[in-house]
Amino acid sequence: SQEIWQLIKHINVAMLTTQSGEQLRARPMYQVQSKFDGTLWFITSESSAKADELSDNKQVCLAYADVQKDVYVSLSGTADLTPDRALIAKFWNPIAEAWFEDGSVDDDVTLLEIRVEQAQVWDAHKNAMTLLFEQVRARLTDAPPAPGENRKYG
């Protein structure tokens, strides 16, 4: 899990995907923690659409992208709402303050707790020569260029 954390800790926003009926919905979520033990935390509203969606299906996916480093991480897991006031105070930050109407913690503020069960990492960072080789190989063989290293966990 520390390898995953090293890849995502500096990415402030993840795209969270939930299921709404038969449709999938994604929205940006601001990361609030400074270390990772297999659980990710986000501040949210208990009256939000995502909270309703989680009451029907707790399976979620988080997508992280570091475009500068060509690293992409997909995390799947189970989500729950956790109204723990001590944890909310621990994770409260200026971004959360700006998001909620009066800038303070009220009864609607809760934490989204995601227990990560599976991770997939794409590391497409290649030097220019490797990238050129992949493009030439693709043209000669009609095979798509290799997207870089892809690892699954869980």
Side-chain angles (χ1 to χ4, degrees):
S1 68
Q2 288 314 301
E3 180 184 356
I4 299 297
W5 183 244
Q6 291 306 311
L7 294 171
I8 67 171
K9 69 180 182 179
H10 66 281
I11 304 172
N12 292 329
V13 178
M15 291 299 291
L16 170 71
T17 301
T18 57
Q19 188 164 355
S20 175
E22 296 296 315
Q23 301 295 315
L24 296 175
R25 293 194 54 210
R27 80 270 292 154
M29 297 293 292
Y30 189 82
Q31 189 160 276
V32 297
Q33 66 205 73
S34 60
K35 54 187 169 177
F36 175 63
D37 63 0
T39 301
L40 290 168
W41 299 94
F42 301 90
I43 294 174
T44 191
S45 169
E46 200 167 327
S47 62
S48 67
K50 74 181 106 17
D52 287 339
E53 293 159 6
L54 292 174
S55 67
D56 293 332
N57 186 339
K58 294 179 181 287
Q59 296 302 303
V60 298
C61 181
L62 287 163
Y64 291 83
D66 184 337
V67 178
Q68 277 74 34
K69 293 182 180 176
D70 282 333
V71 173
Y72 307 90
V73 179
S74 174
L75 304 174
S76 299
T78 304
D80 278 301
L81 297 179
T82 305
D84 183 316
R85 294 295 166 218
L87 276 177
I88 291 170
K90 174 183 174 181
F91 293 130
W92 195 252
N93 61 65
I95 301 292
E97 196 171 290
W99 185 257
F100 288 91
E101 199 166 300
D102 63 0
S104 63
V105 178
D106 62 23
D107 290 341
D108 195 41
V109 175
T110 192
L111 288 173
L112 176 62
E113 174 187 10
I114 300 174
R115 290 171 308 286
V116 176
E117 296 158 358
Q118 186 177 31
Q120 192 163 9
V121 175
W122 292 267
D123 188 350
H125 187 71
K126 298 180 178 184
N127 64 39
M129 187 58 73
T130 303
L131 186 56
L132 177 62
F133 170 77
E134 289 292 337
Q135 291 171 343
V136 169
R137 184 186 66 81
R139 286 192 189 114
L140 293 175
T141 64
D142 289 330
E149 186 178 358
N150 179 0
R151 302 181 304 278
K152 286 186 181 179
Y153 303 86

